[in-house]
Amino acid sequence: MHSAAEEILKGNLVALPTETVYGLGANALNDNAVLKIYEVKNRPRFNPIIVHVKDADEFKKYSADIPEEVYKLAEKFSPGPITFVVKKNSLIPDIVTAGNDSVGLRIPSHELFREVLSTAGVPIAAPSANRFGRISPTSAEDVLKELSGKIDYILDGGRCSVGIESTVVIFTGGKAKILRSGMITKEQIEKITGRLNEENTDKIISPGMLKSHYAPVTPLYIAKDKLPPVISAERNICFLDFSKYGSMKETALNLFSDLRKADEGKYEFIVCRKVKDKGLGIAINERLDKASFGEIEFKDDQIIIKRK
Ligand code: TXA
Ligand code: MG
């Protein structure tokens, strides 16, 4: 891991394990290193990158006008799967934030990532270590499949323990607003900050929140009903059954790896059903929506597909 920190300080890219998904890390203070992230991922330049820091004391170093609630939330949930979008200061290069005057700050809990942060002594910019629009990697093997030959170093920290990306929170009009759902739920945040801002603003506050994302190459369709056994036998369809998992946590943990395995299975298409739209289920369904190509219905021996 000392070599991972060295690579970071040399301005190279390193895939790093976090508790959520693997990140593609670079020294956040080095413009050229951050530029490589966009190139390797084929990420649009308007999509800002999260900056990972060691502890909440570092927030002040890289941002300004931090609302008190951010510290309250960080005290409760950090290190962990939550990102705070706050006003940036001049230390953070514009390329990290895609020209926005805000920066996403996160304190990861994965021990290896934390050691790299301590050893390198610089903040680490890291989006998920997948090609743009694809499924986020939750193991070092997944990273290899996504980015083999394009990066300098992968630090293997085992399988991610959360499995989906962090909850992204911003404060607007004195209220917290969730820009991306994750393991830390709306209810957990509201307990600390009071009611959230749930207005549906047309203004894009989070430029990276595109409608399609996390997508497998094989078309994924969302079914309202179970796949009839007769059709599944005749056609090469993969039915992903999340109800086999005992909890939402377990579903989140396996979501991306199940999608990835199904994608590798060379099926005609993949079908799944959404989970209960409550608590952590909201984050899971948000990802299924973005990964899906549309809806599917099975009527008698007919398959009706409604593409998005
Ligand atoms: O769990 C995670 O958050 C993982 C691990 C590696 O930390 N990272 C991650 O990064 O998911 P990425 O780039 O795949 O997603 C970050 C999202 C982007 O969609 C972006 O729009 C939003 O966070 N974001 C980052 N900085 C922002 C900013 N300054 N303002 C608004 N949104 C921001
Ligand atoms: Mg991503």
Side-chain angles (χ1 to χ4, degrees):
M1 150 234 335
H2 286 278
S3 13
E6 273 166 29
E7 292 294 322
I8 292 281
L9 290 175
K10 274 195 237 158
N12 290 333
L13 299 187
V14 178
L16 294 164
T18 89
E19 66 281 17
T20 58
V21 301
Y22 272 71
L24 181 58
N27 178 355
L29 307 179
N30 178 335
D31 286 63
N32 283 329
V34 175
L35 179 64
K36 285 192 218 163
I37 294 180
Y38 286 93
E39 285 169 353
V40 161
K41 279 191 58 122
N42 204 7
R43 183 182 177 99
R45 294 290 175 81
F46 57 78
N47 196 347
I49 298 172
I50 293 173
V51 173
H52 299 72
V53 295
K54 227 171 31 190
D55 51 46
D57 289 343
E58 299 238 296
F59 288 177
K60 282 190 218 67
K61 262 197 200 163
Y62 305 110
S63 57
D65 306 337
I66 308 166
E68 201 42 49
E69 276 83 359
V70 165
Y71 288 108
K72 284 192 197 152
L73 287 172
E75 200 175 310
K76 178 87 182 165
F77 301 117
S78 302
I82 187 162
T83 297
F84 305 103
V85 174
V86 290
K87 194 159 185 266
K88 86 173 190 77
N89 71 19
S90 59
L91 281 181
I92 299 290
D94 286 336
I95 188 161
V96 171
T97 64
N100 290 284
D101 64 0
S102 62
V103 60
L105 295 176
R106 173 160 120 75
I107 308 168
S109 67
H110 196 292
E111 271 316 309
L112 289 185
F113 200 125
R114 298 184 62 72
E115 285 180 42
V116 174
L117 278 169
S118 297
T119 312
V122 293
I124 295 180
S128 49
N130 50 280
R131 286 162 296 155
F132 177 68
R134 297 280 174 230
I135 304 168
S136 300
T138 51
S139 69
E141 292 77 31
D142 290 353
V143 176
L144 257 184
K145 284 178 194 154
E146 283 290 321
L147 301 174
S148 168
K150 294 183 174 169
I151 52 176
D152 305 295
Y153 198 102
I154 300 178
L155 185 59
D156 189 348
R159 226 180 139 202
C160 301
S161 60
V162 171
I164 56 172
E165 303 84 348
S166 62
T167 307
V168 180
V169 182
I170 192 171
F171 281 84
T172 61
K175 282 186 182 166
K177 183 174 178 63
I178 294 181
L179 297 179
R180 178 177 70 189
S181 305
M183 176 63 72
I184 309 295
T185 63
K186 172 187 159 202
E187 289 76 18
Q188 285 176 295
I189 292 172
E190 277 187 334
K191 268 198 195 145
I192 303 208
T193 65
R195 289 302 288 272
L196 295 192
N197 176 350
E198 292 188 85
E199 262 172 67
N200 250 338
T201 40
D202 282 341
K203 211 179 96 197
I204 304 175
I205 316 179
S206 199
M209 303 301 161
L210 303 174
K211 284 220 167 80
S212 165
H213 217 106
Y214 318 113
V217 177
T218 317
L220 169 77
Y221 294 110
I222 310 276
K224 293 224 164 71
D225 307 300
K226 274 220 161 74
L227 185 69
V230 57
I231 292 178
S232 63
E234 280 169 7
R235 298 193 47 177
N236 188 24
I237 302 169
C238 173
F239 184 56
L240 277 183
D241 180 14
F242 299 124
S243 69
K244 69 176 180 230
Y245 295 120
S247 66
M248 288 292 178
K249 271 197 178 162
E250 212 189 324
T251 307
L253 179 64
N254 290 289
L255 181 68
F256 287 148
S257 52
D258 280 0
L259 278 175
R260 193 174 282 279
K261 263 182 247 153
D263 204 14
E264 286 164 3
K266 302 270 182 288
Y267 293 99
E268 201 178 324
F269 50 81
I270 308 162
V271 179
C272 72
R273 293 167 80 195
K274 286 201 191 163
V275 298
K276 210 164 170 202
D277 211 28
K278 234 186 106 208
L280 179 53
I282 293 174
I284 293 169
N285 286 339
E286 193 177 287
R287 280 150 184 90
L288 288 176
D289 266 332
K290 289 191 177 181
S292 87
F293 286 49
E295 284 191 356
I296 195 162
E297 245 184 89
F298 300 94
K299 266 197 189 147
D300 306 320
D301 54 356
Q302 257 194 313
I303 298 179
I304 305 157
I305 285 174
K306 284 185 217 141
R307 285 189 78 110
K308 278 208 275 212

